[in-house]
Amino acid sequence: MKRSIVLLFLVTNSLLAQVQFEAKVSKNSLGVNERLRIDFTMNADGDNFVPPNFEACGFKVVGGPSQSVSQSWINGRSSFNKSYIYILLPTQKGALTIRQASIEINGQTYKTSPVRVNVTNAVEIPKDPNEAPAISADDNIYLVADISKANPYLNEPITVVYKLYFSYNIGISNWRELNKPKYNDFWSQNIDIKQLVAQDGTFKGERYRYVVLRKTVLYPQKSGKLEIEPLSLDIDCQVPTNRRNFWGQPLMTEDSKRVSAGSKVINVRALPESGKPEDFSGAVGHFDFQVKPSKTLLKNGESLDLDVSVVGTGNLKLFTLPKPVMPSALEMYDPVHDENVSTPLTGMTGRISDKYTIIPQDKGNYQIKPLRFTYFDLGSSSYKTITSKPITITVLDGPGVANSEKTNSNETTKSKPEVAKTFAYNKQVAHLEPIKKDGFLGSGLFYSLMALPFLAIPFFIVGKKRKEASDNDIVGNKIKKSNALAKKYLGDAKKHLGNKEPFYIALEKAMHNFLKAKLNIETSEMSKEKISELLLSRKANVTTVAEFIHLTENCELARYAQSSETAIQQDYDKAVEIISELEKQLK
């Protein structure tokens, strides 16, 4: 009897216990150079934890997420505590608000309350002399923008190469762009850098390592002084301290630094007015100009293509090609523009062309006048003009040839074949419709549209009953939701193959939701024995079940142990293989 009362008391106490999910911060006021710890704590195990967007709240994540789990049983009462821990660094000053986080516990979504934090000016942080950096990151990391030419002509290409210089004693682990450079009044093209490689170099007369972060080709679009706004970075680095390890090597400590390349001013020279031709369209560089017809001898009804092209190096995408002038007997259609241009560090190079389709109207000989193309040559700093040769088009016959021959003056009518040929392009069969049509009111279409809503009522009733049945199927909907979440988190794990912590968190969630969908159990019911028993009862293979249990345990351990990218890839492939096998085996 006493045992029954104790059990009843424990069950009642567990039912009355409230689920708590809250956010706790290490301090509510800090300097902009200090770090903040935030714990998202719950007293019951949950799934599908979603943290707030810290960047939108004015913070960046410099540590975490890490997990802390504790469970105890004291005087017949159990207690459970689980926390997700992040280390944050403020990116701005002021009263900042950390938004809500959410998690699912026992099928219900819980959210934390927003947390307000006051961020002040930078404060002096006392440090242990042994922990203090032996060298300063401020004097050993520099961001430099190398400009190929500071006084180019209008539309002359220049390059901007951003290099990050750092001392041999410093390690760079990560960087984030705070401000991207802006190229107002420039045409710009970024050049992809496939792999960042540290190289040896010299800066301020000393040996440094450097990494090329960005390359950009610019074409100034107006003359005068143009400003290039700076690139700014937030850099995570490791600097040596005064402490040494067993072998006498200095121990490293984490540090951060914000660097900027500074704004650059480009003095753009206008193109000379002296000797500038009237037909100059803005081409600057070194080019070759060609005008080629596809053929010059045509029969009645044929067409030709006239290709006007420029080949060379220069601002190929920034000027227009000259347009040919045709005789009235040659009908010319709008051109098809084609560009085959690449942009290496030296500037645009390749070919652009306009292809015109031309159709003659009558027989005869027609001449296309020469075309002129003018460009500014950077090598000689002068204007150059290329003139094409005239092109003669010969049309052998035309639509009026048969009628132009002399006929017998006594003939007053044409034969039937001649009449048919003359009116060959006219429509021979007509489909006439009456001008006056019946009105819509009272027509068949009118009555059909009137009856349509009544005919749709049975379909509406059937659809509503199916939706109600679907909404009432709580178990089925729960299984569908868990199945969808399993696929989602498996996809998230694939995206984070190169990042250990979020990869294993997503993989663990994917496997938990897979079990919830297939076995219809809650997270609180999940134990190795329970999972094995249910999977084997559903005819799953013993080996596959053992591999699933082992991989689930490995997800928790691997987050805190060192893992290579190869091991992470193997765990992902194994998870996909095991889930696929269980999909086939479970009945």
Side-chain angles (χ1 to χ4, degrees):
M1 183 65 180
K2 289 183 178 180
R3 182 177 297 177
S4 300
I5 293 173
V6 170
L7 290 175
L8 180 62
F9 173 77
L10 291 175
V11 171
T12 305
N13 186 45
S14 63
L15 289 174
L16 294 175
Q18 293 184 349
V19 174
Q20 294 180 351
F21 179 48
E22 56 186 350
K24 300 178 180 179
V25 292
S26 57
K27 57 181 75 176
N28 293 102
S29 180
L30 70 156
V32 73
N33 60 329
E34 292 185 288
R35 300 190 177 194
L36 178 74
R37 169 172 168 160
I38 183 168
D39 295 30
F40 297 98
T41 306
M42 64 207 77
N43 63 349
D45 197 8
D47 285 318
N48 307 325
F49 171 71
V50 180
N53 185 345
F54 292 110
E55 290 186 3
C57 302
F59 293 90
K60 69 174 181 178
V61 179
V62 295
S66 59
Q67 287 190 33
S68 172
V69 180
S70 63
Q71 189 168 5
S72 61
W73 187 277
I74 301 175
N75 297 328
R77 298 185 63 181
S78 66
S79 63
F80 177 87
N81 186 278
K82 181 177 180 180
S83 299
Y84 290 93
I85 306 165
Y86 291 84
I87 306 298
L88 309 177
L89 183 67
T91 58
Q92 62 189 65
K93 295 185 295 182
L96 308 182
T97 301
I98 300 177
R99 300 172 187 172
Q100 294 177 310
S102 65
I103 197 166
E104 290 184 10
I105 300 177
N106 298 327
Q108 187 173 352
T109 301
Y110 293 86
K111 294 184 178 180
T112 61
S113 299
V115 179
R116 292 181 63 84
V117 178
N118 185 38
V119 180
T120 62
N121 293 325
V123 298
E124 184 177 354
I125 304 175
K127 294 183 178 179
D128 184 342
N130 292 326
E131 296 292 341
I135 62 174
S136 172
D138 293 339
D139 301 327
N140 290 274
I141 301 178
Y142 301 93
L143 180 62
V144 177
D146 285 342
I147 309 292
S148 62
K149 194 169 186 178
N151 58 338
Y153 276 112
L154 183 71
N155 267 312
E156 179 181 359
I158 63 172
T159 58
V160 184
V161 179
Y162 294 93
K163 297 179 181 179
L164 181 66
Y165 286 90
F166 53 97
S167 169
Y168 281 82
N169 299 323
I170 288 180
I172 304 295
S173 57
N174 190 24
W175 57 79
R176 292 163 293 278
E177 287 189 357
L178 298 177
N179 295 307
K180 293 186 177 181
K182 296 180 181 179
Y183 309 111
N184 298 325
D185 300 316
F186 289 93
W187 182 94
S188 63
Q189 174 70 55
N190 288 326
I191 297 177
D192 292 335
I193 299 176
K194 296 182 180 179
Q195 186 175 6
L196 298 177
V197 180
Q199 305 176 53
D200 295 328
T202 303
F203 182 72
K204 293 184 177 181
E206 298 182 6
R207 292 178 64 246
Y208 273 80
R209 288 184 297 171
Y210 72 91
V211 175
V212 176
L213 301 180
R214 183 192 288 260
K215 298 178 181 179
T216 306
V217 179
L218 303 177
Y219 283 83
Q221 297 302 290
K222 74 176 187 178
S223 58
K225 292 185 178 181
L226 305 182
E227 182 180 2
I228 299 176
E229 297 187 16
L231 169 67
S232 299
L233 302 176
D234 191 0
I235 299 174
D236 295 334
C237 58
Q238 297 81 40
V239 295
T241 66
N242 294 317
R243 298 180 61 191
R244 303 274 175 171
N245 61 17
F246 178 79
W247 293 275
Q249 299 170 332
L251 297 176
M252 308 295 283
T253 184
E254 296 291 332
D255 201 355
S256 63
K257 176 178 170 59
R258 294 182 180 181
V259 293
S260 174
S263 60
K264 301 293 181 181
V265 176
I266 308 299
N267 188 18
V268 182
R269 292 179 289 171
L271 298 177
E273 293 295 328
S274 176
K276 180 187 289 187
E278 293 182 358
D279 60 352
F280 177 67
S281 62
V284 177
H286 184 72
F287 305 105
D288 185 25
F289 177 62
Q290 295 178 339
V291 180
K292 291 183 179 179
S294 58
K295 52 188 172 181
T296 57
L297 190 65
L298 291 86
K299 294 181 180 180
N300 177 30
E302 291 183 333
S303 65
L304 67 94
D305 291 331
L306 186 68
D307 188 76
V308 181
S309 64
V310 168
V311 180
T313 301
N315 60 334
L316 287 162
K317 297 182 178 181
L318 303 175
F319 62 84
T320 57
L321 292 170
K323 185 176 181 179
V325 178
M326 293 289 144
S328 59
L330 299 181
E331 185 176 0
M332 183 176 69
Y333 292 86
D334 290 337
V336 176
H337 185 73
D338 180 62
E339 293 181 355
N340 184 11
V341 179
S342 60
T343 309
L345 204 59
T346 54
M348 286 186 254
T349 182
R351 178 181 185 272
I352 62 172
S353 66
D354 285 340
K355 182 176 287 186
Y356 297 86
T357 298
I358 300 171
I359 301 176
Q361 302 298 311
D362 299 303
K363 73 172 183 177
N365 295 323
Y366 306 98
Q367 189 177 79
I368 301 176
K369 295 180 180 180
L371 273 68
R372 285 166 47 92
F373 173 70
T374 301
Y375 67 95
F376 182 77
D377 182 50
L378 292 171
S380 61
S381 296
S382 62
Y383 294 97
K384 293 187 177 181
T385 300
I386 303 175
T387 305
S388 66
K389 295 180 180 180
I391 300 171
T392 301
I393 306 297
T394 301
V395 183
L396 298 178
D397 56 9
V401 171
N403 296 330
S404 66
E405 296 179 356
K406 292 183 179 180
T407 58
N408 193 320
S409 59
N410 295 327
E411 292 182 303
T412 57
T413 59
K414 296 181 180 180
S415 63
K416 288 184 178 180
E418 288 176 332
V419 172
K421 186 182 292 185
T422 302
F423 297 99
Y425 298 100
N426 292 351
K427 198 167 185 180
Q428 302 292 319
V429 180
H431 298 282
L432 304 178
E433 294 183 1
I435 296 175
K436 186 177 180 181
K437 296 183 178 180
D438 295 334
F440 173 71
L441 192 63
S443 64
L445 179 60
F446 171 78
Y447 289 113
S448 299
L449 294 175
M450 287 285 291
L452 187 61
F454 299 99
L455 296 175
I457 290 175
F459 296 98
F460 176 76
I461 295 173
V462 172
K464 186 177 180 182
K465 288 184 177 180
R466 288 184 177 179
K467 186 177 184 307
E468 289 175 351
S470 177
D471 292 341
N472 292 330
D473 186 10
I474 299 174
V475 175
N477 290 334
K478 207 170 184 181
I479 291 173
K480 289 179 183 177
K481 184 178 180 182
S482 298
N483 209 359
L485 287 171
K487 294 179 181 178
K488 173 186 178 297
Y489 286 118
L490 195 60
D492 290 345
K494 187 175 182 180
K495 294 178 183 177
H496 294 292
L497 284 173
N499 198 346
K500 179 185 67 175
E501 187 81 14
F503 167 78
Y504 282 108
I505 291 175
L507 187 62
E508 186 179 12
K509 289 180 179 179
M511 300 180 72
H512 278 189
N513 280 286
F514 174 78
L515 289 177
K516 290 167 72 174
K518 294 300 178 184
L519 304 180
N520 192 21
I521 60 174
E522 297 298 330
T523 305
S524 57
E525 301 176 303
M526 289 186 186
S527 64
K528 291 188 292 185
E529 295 77 11
K530 182 73 172 180
I531 294 171
S532 300
E533 179 185 348
L534 291 174
L535 288 175
L536 293 174
S537 68
R538 298 279 297 276
K539 309 300 182 183
N541 186 278
V542 177
T543 304
T544 307
V545 173
E547 290 177 346
F548 186 91
I549 298 296
H550 176 72
L551 186 58
T552 305
E553 295 173 342
N554 190 44
C555 285
E556 179 67 27
L557 297 175
R559 281 187 305 206
Y560 307 103
Q562 291 187 352
S563 299
S564 64
E565 292 186 6
T566 304
I568 293 175
Q569 181 67 52
Q570 289 175 353
D571 285 344
Y572 174 78
D573 295 339
K574 193 67 178 177
V576 173
E577 179 185 348
I578 292 173
I579 290 175
S580 300
E581 288 297 322
L582 290 175
E583 285 276 10
K584 299 175 186 176
Q585 296 171 10
L586 294 179
K587 298 180 180 179

